[in-house]
């Protein structure tokens, strides 16, 4: 294996910045690529070299395999880190990189292919003795077969795109009358999102928890797990808050899941960092959902409790180094939580909120607060990409401390000029069910239905959010403009008014 000195990052935003940090701390050189919309991006400002690769739409820049590999050659990079999203799980990309004599920081293309299709990976996992969600292995052939299987399996069930990802092409079906229509919809969404209309059936696990295991594997057969992440705070099948350890599973289940995740990885000769996702029912039975063959968005919470820098480990493994520790050396400490800060308006159906950030004050700085941000004051958030602008992460000696620290940090976070999901998180972190630790992926649905039925609650939350925004604006306008509801003392008042809210 070649020594790695210079690494090109085939990505943008917060994850490109995160990777630059690891590269620099290893005394290596970070190289980035950028599109028109990203000329002034933070990743461009922080890298040693930055290369323009095309127009703003990702199909004309960040998804251009040839252009990125050619740029890596021109820059003299010995390796490429794909981050997540874009080309991270594209086996052809990994293959082309290796063909060009450059190191791909990730697994072998073969493992990406095997885990890339939900139906194929279910087949391989079943054969390896990894429990998968009951359902079909093969895609559904026609509506007759669909009805047959659905009737045998019972409702509710879930239709899923074989090539799925990001919750697309997925439909929950409660009763037989809804089946055909849902099938047509799932197929057409799968075709338009992934260019593959194949859909299969899974039993819908009631009161589900999403728990995933981080694994690391070197090239010498050493595969270990680094604990789990509870990712059950989801909106439309998309994660928005993650925490570790899971407040739901027992130590016994934790170990079983870890061992099974290692088995899953070994079944496809996995190397580098990866995540095995499980769905867990109310009795803590767990089933394989999928394996993400890349760095996960929520990887920082694992880093906070293990002290292991996963990006550095990825680079070390790709350079041919052995894992420097064994399973028994992994002893997670304390508790960590992450909130995904999106440039979107939580009070307007989470519509994207691109635009210029006119004020930006990050809460990072106090004990146990990490802000993996990709933006800065004056930056214009583009419309073209995922609206994730920052990941706010806290650590605490226990769950309560991590949550309280997160609330404090969210309150300090000031972003003006665009709307963000920050006020929304404050509601979730006050919710009784969330605080109990035994919450399921239905949590957000329940919170939102109460909110809709209860204008008083909704109004208060909206008022609080406006207060936050006005408070943010206030530092750039006159102090006298602050209404009593929008002052910093609102934090206290917010605490007192909690009793008004019932979700
Ligand atoms: P994607 O790859 O599109 O993200 P996943 O298979 O990872 O799809 O599932 C995303 C989310 O959908 C899960 O975290 C979970 O909330 C829900 N989900 C998936 N499969 C099931 C199932 N069989 N039963 C209940 N919920 C499910």
């Amino acid at each position: 294996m070649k020594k790695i000195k210079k690494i090109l990052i085939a990505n943008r935003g917060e994850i490109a910045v995160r990777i630059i940090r690891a590269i620099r701390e290893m005394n290596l050189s970070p190289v980035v690529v950028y599109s028109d919309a990203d000329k002034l991006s933070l990743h461009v400002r922080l890298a040693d070299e930055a290369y323009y690769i095309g127009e703003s739409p990702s199909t004309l820049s960040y998804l251009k395999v040839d252009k990125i590999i050619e740029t890596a050659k021109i820059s003299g990079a010995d390796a490429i880190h794909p981050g997540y999203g874009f080309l991270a799980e594209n086996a052809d990309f990994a293959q082309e990189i290796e063909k060009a004599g450059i190191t791909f920081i990730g697994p072998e293309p073969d493992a990406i292919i095997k885990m890339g299709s939900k139906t194929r990976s279910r087949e391989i996992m079943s054969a390896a003795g990894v429990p998968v969600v009951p359902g079909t292995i093969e895609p559904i052939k026609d509506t007759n077969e669909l009805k047959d299987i659905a009737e045998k399996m019972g409702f509710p069930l879930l239709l899923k795109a074989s090539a799925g990802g990001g919750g697309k092409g997925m439909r929950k079906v409660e009763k037989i009358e809804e089946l055909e229509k849902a099938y047509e919809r799932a197929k057409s969404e799968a075709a338009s999102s992934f260019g593959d209309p194949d859909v299969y059936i899974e039993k819908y696990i009631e009161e589900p928890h999403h728990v995933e295991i981080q694994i690391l594997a070197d090239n010498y057969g050493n595969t270990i797990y680094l604990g789990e992440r509870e990712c059950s705070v989801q909106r439309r099948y998309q994660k928005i808050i993650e925490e570790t350890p899971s407040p739901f599973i027992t130590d016994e289940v934790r170990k079983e899941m870890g061992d099974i995740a290692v088995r899953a990885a070994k079944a496809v000769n996995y190397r580098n960092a990866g995540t095995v996702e499980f769905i867990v029912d109310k009795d803590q039975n767990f089933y394989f959902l999928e394996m993400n063959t890349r760095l996960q968005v929520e990887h920082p919470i694992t880093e906070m409790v293990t002290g292991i820098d996963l990006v550095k480990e990825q680079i070390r493994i790709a350079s041919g180094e052995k894992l420097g520790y064994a399973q028994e050396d992994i002893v997670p400490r304390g508790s960590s939580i992450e909130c995904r800060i999106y440039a979107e308006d939580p009070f307007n159906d989470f519509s994207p909120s691109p635009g210029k950030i006119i004020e930006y004050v990050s809460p990072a700085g106090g004990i146990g607060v990490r802000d993996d941000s990709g933006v800065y004051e004056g930056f214009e958030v583009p419309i073209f990409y995922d609206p994730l602008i920052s990941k706010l992460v806290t650590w605490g000696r226990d769950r309560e401390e991590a949550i309280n620290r997160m609330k404090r940090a969210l309150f300090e976070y000031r972003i003006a000029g665009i709307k963000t999901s920050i006020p929304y998180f404050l509601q979730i972190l006050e919710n009784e069910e969330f605080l109990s630790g035994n919450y399921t992926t239905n949590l957000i649905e329940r919170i939102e239905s109460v909110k809709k039925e209860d204008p008083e609650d909704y109004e208060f939350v909206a008022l609080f959010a406006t207060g936050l925004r006005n408070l943010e604006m206030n530092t750039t306008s006159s102090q006298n403009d602050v209404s009593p509801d929008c002052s910093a003392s609102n934090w206290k008042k917010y605490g007192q008014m909690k009793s008004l809210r019932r979700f």
Side-chain angles (χ1 to χ4, degrees):
M1 234 160 274
K2 246 177 35 184
K3 185 150 177 51
I4 295 175
K5 293 199 200 94
K6 197 187 250 197
I7 301 173
L8 181 138
I9 301 161
N11 218 302
R12 63 172 303 280
E14 69 82 21
I15 196 61
V17 173
R18 161 71 190 93
I19 297 164
I20 289 173
R21 289 181 173 142
I23 294 173
R24 223 177 257 301
E25 286 176 24
M26 293 174 85
N27 293 318
L28 307 174
S29 176
V31 176
V32 298
V33 291
Y34 65 94
S35 67
D36 277 329
D38 275 334
K39 278 186 179 138
L40 299 174
S41 272
L42 191 56
H43 75 286
V44 173
R45 291 185 162 196
L46 294 178
D48 281 348
E49 294 165 45
Y51 294 84
Y52 173 76
I53 51 163
E55 289 171 46
S56 303
S58 49
T59 46
L60 302 176
S61 47
Y62 298 105
L63 289 173
K64 292 205 84 167
V65 171
D66 293 351
K67 185 76 187 168
I68 291 171
I69 295 177
E70 183 195 313
T71 307
K73 285 187 193 155
I74 291 169
S75 70
D78 341 88
I80 295 182
H81 195 304
Y84 58 72
F86 295 132
L87 297 166
E89 288 171 287
N90 182 318
D92 291 341
F93 181 54
Q95 209 144 28
E96 290 303 315
I97 290 172
E98 298 285 343
K99 258 197 227 158
I102 299 169
T103 301
F104 176 68
I105 301 178
E108 300 282 348
D110 180 61
I112 302 178
I113 293 169
K114 284 181 171 149
M115 288 300 192
S117 146
K118 285 189 194 285
T119 39
R120 191 152 177 197
S121 64
R122 277 163 65 78
E123 199 178 333
I124 299 169
M125 291 302 108
S126 290
V130 173
V132 301
V133 185
T136 60
I137 297 283
E138 295 289 317
I140 300 293
K141 286 189 199 75
D142 51 38
T143 46
N144 287 339
E145 188 185 60
L146 173 78
K147 278 190 210 147
D148 254 21
I149 296 171
E151 266 165 3
K152 272 189 208 126
M153 207 155 78
F155 293 86
L157 52 81
L158 210 54
L159 297 172
K160 278 191 179 181
S162 301
K168 293 218 174 74
M170 194 144 74
R171 284 273 180 291
K172 183 178 174 189
V173 187
E174 307 272 2
K175 45 185 185 282
I176 187 98
E177 298 81 55
E178 297 167 0
L179 189 63
E180 244 177 275
K181 204 164 158 197
Y183 176 59
E184 293 308 325
R185 286 222 177 119
K187 265 202 319 190
S188 80
E189 200 172 304
S192 63
S193 304
F194 314 110
D196 175 359
D198 278 354
V199 166
Y200 72 101
I201 302 185
E202 269 182 22
K203 185 176 165 51
Y204 182 82
I205 304 294
E206 306 269 9
E207 297 179 48
H209 291 251
H210 174 119
V211 181
E212 60 185 31
I213 304 282
Q214 175 70 53
I215 68 114
L216 276 180
D218 67 15
N219 298 288
Y220 309 95
N222 303 306
T223 305
I224 59 166
Y225 62 91
L226 282 82
E228 81 286 5
R229 293 182 288 257
E230 167 89 47
C231 310
S232 300
V233 183
Q234 298 185 355
R235 199 170 178 280
R236 300 189 178 152
Y237 303 122
Q238 309 250 30
K239 302 162 188 165
I240 52 177
I241 296 180
E242 303 93 355
E243 62 175 316
T244 187
S246 160
F248 174 63
I249 61 168
T250 61
D251 282 347
E252 204 185 338
V253 171
R254 176 170 290 123
K255 183 171 181 328
E256 265 178 59
M257 280 176 104
D259 290 341
I260 291 278
V262 166
R263 186 189 298 179
K266 286 192 165 169
V268 294
N269 289 322
Y270 198 83
R271 60 140 207 236
N272 215 283
T275 294
V276 182
E277 296 190 333
F278 295 100
I279 193 106
V280 188
D281 72 13
K282 60 180 190 313
D283 302 316
Q284 303 201 22
N285 298 305
F286 59 88
Y287 308 92
F288 172 87
L289 269 184
E290 64 170 352
M291 181 169 190
N292 289 328
T293 55
R294 54 163 166 84
L295 188 66
Q296 199 86 326
V297 177
E298 58 274 21
H299 75 278
I301 57 172
T302 299
E303 297 183 322
M304 296 294 266
V305 297
T306 59
I308 290 171
D309 185 317
L310 287 166
V311 179
K312 285 186 192 166
E313 291 304 321
Q314 287 191 293
I315 297 169
R316 285 195 191 106
I317 291 169
S319 318
E321 285 184 36
K322 275 191 179 160
L323 277 182
Y325 32 78
Q327 188 62 60
E328 54 275 19
D329 301 323
I330 307 298
V331 186
R333 188 173 151 262
S335 192
S336 182
I337 179 165
E338 171 184 280
C339 287
R340 298 185 181 196
I341 314 287
Y342 287 106
E344 60 186 20
D345 184 356
F347 299 105
N348 184 20
D349 202 24
F350 296 82
S351 53
S353 180
K356 191 161 183 159
I357 298 178
I358 59 168
E359 192 198 0
Y360 187 82
V361 182
S362 166
I367 181 170
V369 181
R370 165 174 172 177
D371 184 24
D372 274 26
S373 166
V375 298
Y376 57 88
E377 195 164 300
F379 178 66
E380 190 151 346
V381 178
I383 185 83
F384 301 96
Y385 316 110
D386 184 294
L388 183 66
I389 53 170
S390 133
K391 296 175 328 204
L392 187 59
V393 182
T394 58
W395 178 89
R397 282 169 307 163
D398 54 27
R399 183 170 190 254
E400 192 183 354
E401 189 174 53
I403 292 173
N404 284 335
R405 193 164 276 157
M406 177 58 81
K407 288 200 289 197
R408 184 269 288 176
L410 284 166
F411 187 70
E412 281 179 24
Y413 214 145
R414 302 205 182 164
I415 305 178
I418 57 165
K419 289 175 181 143
T420 74
S421 44
I422 291 173
Y424 189 68
F425 290 124
L426 286 162
Q427 298 173 52
I428 300 166
L429 298 177
E430 292 280 336
N431 177 273
E432 290 294 317
E433 196 178 325
F434 174 77
L435 291 173
S436 78
N438 187 6
Y439 57 90
T440 69
T441 59
N442 306 320
L443 175 73
I444 294 297
E445 217 173 279
R446 274 203 284 276
I447 290 179
E448 292 191 351
S449 66
V450 172
K451 201 170 67 184
K452 275 181 198 120
E453 280 164 23
D454 191 337
E456 198 182 53
D457 278 356
Y458 188 76
E459 228 167 73
F460 168 68
V461 173
L463 175 76
F464 180 67
T466 313
L468 272 183
R469 277 201 292 275
N470 288 356
L471 182 66
E472 285 153 10
M473 296 298 293
N474 183 54
T475 39
T476 49
S477 61
S478 149
Q479 286 293 328
N480 300 329
D481 289 346
V482 200
S483 83
D485 285 321
C486 308
S487 68
S489 67
N490 210 18
W491 180 234
K492 256 199 193 140
K493 197 167 152 203
Y494 171 67
Q496 286 159 1
M497 287 175 79
K498 253 184 341 197
S499 56
L500 267 179
R501 296 159 51 213
R502 289 191 291 273
F503 51 83

